[in-house]
Amino acid sequence: MSKEDTIQVKGVVQNVLPNAHFDVKLEDADTNVLCHISGKIRKNNITILMGDRVDIEMSVYDLSKGRIVYRHKK
């Protein structure tokens, strides 16, 4: 799978789960996606809390899971 095989969408963090997983509600649709954080966010110690607006990448093969790649500033 290459980088071109991903879908980028925006969402809001609804719930913080253990092991750096988050329940994110998509802005375009009324669906929830289970997400983990990307390596750059983990490396730079960026804190993600409930209510944060984030950009996520989802694979075209599994639309129920994703990766948080950006946290928007308030």
Side-chain angles (χ1 to χ4, degrees):
M1 186 172 85
S2 65
K3 275 190 154 182
E4 292 82 28
D5 293 342
T6 60
I7 302 169
Q8 291 205 354
V9 293
K10 296 179 187 288
V12 177
V13 176
Q14 294 292 315
N15 197 3
V16 178
L17 303 170
N19 297 331
H21 282 79
F22 301 91
D23 191 22
V24 177
K25 182 178 181 183
L26 301 181
E27 289 182 353
D28 300 338
D30 292 332
T31 60
N32 288 350
V33 177
L34 180 66
C35 296
H36 64 275
I37 56 177
S38 68
K40 285 189 177 183
I41 292 177
R42 188 179 300 234
K43 179 180 165 186
N44 292 318
N45 282 338
I46 296 173
T47 305
I48 298 175
L49 302 172
M50 276 182 29
D52 285 346
R53 290 181 47 237
V54 293
D55 288 346
I56 65 171
E57 283 184 351
M58 297 187 328
S59 170
V60 294
Y61 302 111
D62 187 8
L63 298 176
S64 65
K65 297 177 184 173
R67 175 177 51 235
I68 298 175
V69 293
Y70 186 77
R71 176 183 170 257
H72 291 277
K73 296 178 178 139
K74 292 188 179 185

